[in-house]
Amino acid sequence: MSFEWWVGARYAGLTRSKRKAGQRGDRFVSFIAGSSMAGIALGVAALIVVLSVMNGFQTQVRDRMLSVLPHIELFYPGQPHQRVLEMWPDIAADAKQNSAVQGAAPFVGAQGMLVRNNVLSGAQIRGIDSSVETQVSELADQLYAGSLDALKDGSFGIVLGQKLAKTLGVGQGDTLMVMAPQGTISPAGFSPRMRQFTVVGLFSSGHYEYDASLAFVNVQDAARIFRDSGVSGVRLRIKDMQKAPEVAVELQGQLPSGVIASDWTRNNRTWFAAVQTEKRMMFLILTLIVAVAAFNLLSSLVMAVKDKRSDIAILRTLGATPAEIARIFLVQGSLIGFLGTGLGVLLGVLIAYNVDVIVPFIENLIGLQFLPEQIYFISSLPSNPQVADIVIIAVTSLILSFLATLYPSWRASRLQPAQVLRHD
């Protein structure tokens, strides 16, 4: 070990001098080094935990959304619903020529009003074919009452989300009225088109927005009641949801003219763009914590240089060059930054992988829920640590720590031993 590393490690508090006269100064240097190290560690840990939670939040919401929603939707605008439902096997066959497509199913989607006694609630009503729905969604696995097989043509059954059923005050076997936006105009006035449906199933996707607004009916029943409104087409599921935009572009070129392919990232573009922007801003804001710790490191090194003026002068008289003096404090600051970053990474990863245990404990302790599901769609705090984020955070911390050592090291190398010894 070169003497620069040995002295730098001692100044960083990693080694101790056996001389009693130096213990007081060593304790002071060790204290300011430890405080700088703790600041860096806390900043790095905070960054890792926050970004991991944001990654987990995005992943959880995305997966729960796509458990109900398709990866790609194919629309045939301008065609009546019944015509599209007759054409859907051919459209699905053409789409399945793309090797990325795993399943296909027809749909009719529209906005409607559900009425039960004096309670009214708006809903997104989806007409589905229960025989092939399992190819494109996990709805059948999310049912906790009833069965999709009950959605038969002409039976006018309906499957409701858990929160929507609670709002309407209905359960399996109850009836309600479904009102379409369009109606008929007669001498007596406007009469909305409506039909009585029977609740044949209840589902819970874990996504509050969908559980509170989605309802499923048979695709033919939906085509009858929403014949003048809504959209119809084919829903597709692909092997890799992340490649949905590329597959949608490929399908757009393969399918007959008039068919429009829309992937899930386009349909939910605003939400995902907002999450990505928020993640970038949180990274920049929380990086300021590490920057503050780096400034603390800089000030502590300046204080160390001032405290060790006599040591520097003695080393210079013994033949140490200004570059060697500078390297001593570069080693001291770099060791503090490296150890602080390492401790922060360990602490952050430990917390990030145990958020599902730590957060419920704190919620029970203080009696407060951090994530109201009405606002954040999910009720538990997820975490998804990603190696790329951790590496970027660690590298950023190390760079800031290294930059903080440059000025104190330069200042130490500029000290003149004659002037220092004369004043001391």
Side-chain angles (χ1 to χ4, degrees):
M1 179 184 297
S2 64
F3 88 94
E4 297 105 315
W5 279 91
W6 183 85
V7 177
R10 175 187 162 187
Y11 286 173
L14 301 182
T15 62
R16 290 284 186 179
S17 172
K18 296 182 179 180
R19 294 185 301 108
K20 294 183 178 180
Q23 287 182 355
R24 183 177 178 181
D26 286 346
R27 284 198 298 267
F28 172 73
V29 174
S30 298
F31 172 76
I32 60 177
S35 63
S36 302
M37 192 182 302
I40 295 173
L42 289 176
V44 170
L47 261 173
I48 291 175
V49 172
V50 170
L51 293 187
S52 297
V53 169
M54 295 191 70
N55 290 333
F57 176 78
Q58 181 178 359
T59 302
Q60 283 271 3
V61 174
R62 181 198 66 196
D63 292 346
R64 294 185 182 186
M65 287 170 58
L66 295 180
S67 68
V68 178
L69 302 182
H71 295 166
I72 297 175
E73 290 181 332
L74 304 179
F75 302 97
Y76 214 136
Q79 295 288 340
H81 296 330
Q82 291 292 351
R83 173 60 177 161
V84 174
L85 295 180
E86 292 173 358
M87 297 169 56
W88 93 263
D90 296 330
I91 299 175
D94 292 338
K96 287 183 177 179
Q97 291 181 3
N98 190 307
S99 59
V101 178
Q102 290 184 313
F107 79 97
V108 173
Q111 298 285 337
M113 184 73 70
L114 305 184
V115 183
R116 168 72 174 182
N117 296 331
N118 295 324
V119 181
L120 289 83
S121 180
Q124 302 177 43
I125 301 176
R126 304 283 177 87
I128 61 173
D129 186 341
S130 58
S131 63
V132 291
E133 181 63 20
T134 54
Q135 296 183 21
V136 296
S137 77
E138 300 172 9
L139 180 61
D141 298 329
Q142 296 171 350
L143 289 174
Y144 64 91
S147 171
L148 285 184
D149 295 334
L151 296 180
K152 300 184 181 300
D153 183 11
S155 65
F156 292 98
I158 188 170
V159 174
L160 302 177
Q162 182 184 32
K163 305 298 182 182
L164 181 57
K166 185 177 180 180
T167 300
L168 295 170
V170 298
Q172 186 178 4
D174 294 335
T175 59
L176 52 80
M177 299 297 296
V178 176
M179 299 174 58
Q182 287 73 28
T184 57
I185 299 177
S186 64
F190 177 80
S191 299
R193 186 182 305 128
M194 62 180 65
R195 179 78 190 200
Q196 179 174 286
F197 280 72
T198 302
V199 179
V200 297
L202 302 172
F203 75 92
S204 175
S205 66
H207 191 293
Y208 181 85
E209 182 181 2
Y210 296 145
D211 290 345
S213 63
L214 270 182
F216 294 90
V217 301
N218 180 270
V219 66
Q220 295 292 344
D221 294 344
R224 294 187 187 100
I225 192 171
F226 297 106
R227 58 179 178 269
D228 300 324
S229 62
V231 295
S232 56
V234 179
R235 307 164 72 195
L236 303 178
R237 178 165 287 251
I238 62 176
K239 295 178 181 179
D240 185 357
M241 69 176 72
Q242 302 293 344
K243 295 182 179 180
E246 293 85 348
V247 176
V249 172
E250 294 176 3
L251 291 173
Q252 190 74 59
Q254 296 173 358
L255 296 173
S257 60
V259 178
I260 299 176
S262 178
D263 65 274
W264 64 272
T265 61
R266 182 184 302 178
N267 297 336
N268 301 277
R269 178 178 300 173
T270 303
W271 187 87
F272 284 100
V275 171
Q276 287 297 328
T277 302
E278 184 178 0
K279 181 179 176 182
R280 295 189 189 100
M281 292 305 299
M282 289 300 296
F283 178 81
L284 293 176
I285 293 171
L286 292 176
T287 301
L288 293 178
I289 300 177
V290 182
V292 170
F295 278 112
N296 185 31
L297 174 60
L298 186 150
S299 62
S300 67
L301 288 176
V302 171
M303 294 172 63
V305 170
K306 184 177 181 180
D307 184 67
K308 299 298 182 182
R309 288 165 57 92
S310 299
D311 291 0
I312 295 171
I314 293 172
L315 289 173
R316 288 294 308 276
T317 58
L318 293 175
T321 64
E324 291 173 335
I325 298 297
R327 284 198 292 270
I328 289 174
F329 291 93
L330 282 174
V331 168
Q332 179 186 357
S334 299
L335 286 175
I336 294 173
F338 180 80
L339 293 176
T341 300
L343 291 174
V345 169
L346 290 176
L347 179 62
V349 170
L350 181 64
I351 296 175
Y353 277 104
N354 292 278
V355 163
D356 56 339
V357 177
I358 297 173
V359 171
F361 173 76
I362 298 176
E363 289 180 338
N364 294 331
L365 187 64
I366 65 178
L368 179 65
Q369 186 178 15
F370 292 154
L371 286 180
E373 60 182 357
Q374 296 89 341
I375 301 175
Y376 297 101
F377 307 137
I378 55 178
S379 58
S380 59
L381 197 64
S383 178
N384 180 24
Q386 295 185 358
V387 175
D389 289 341
I390 296 173
V391 171
I392 291 174
I393 293 169
V395 170
T396 302
S397 175
L398 291 174
I399 291 174
L400 290 175
S401 300
F402 178 76
L403 292 176
T405 66
L406 296 180
Y407 172 73
S409 302
W410 173 81
R411 184 173 177 179
S413 67
R414 300 286 294 178
L415 289 178
Q416 297 299 322
Q419 296 179 0
V420 172
L421 294 176
R422 182 185 305 118
H423 289 87
D424 290 345

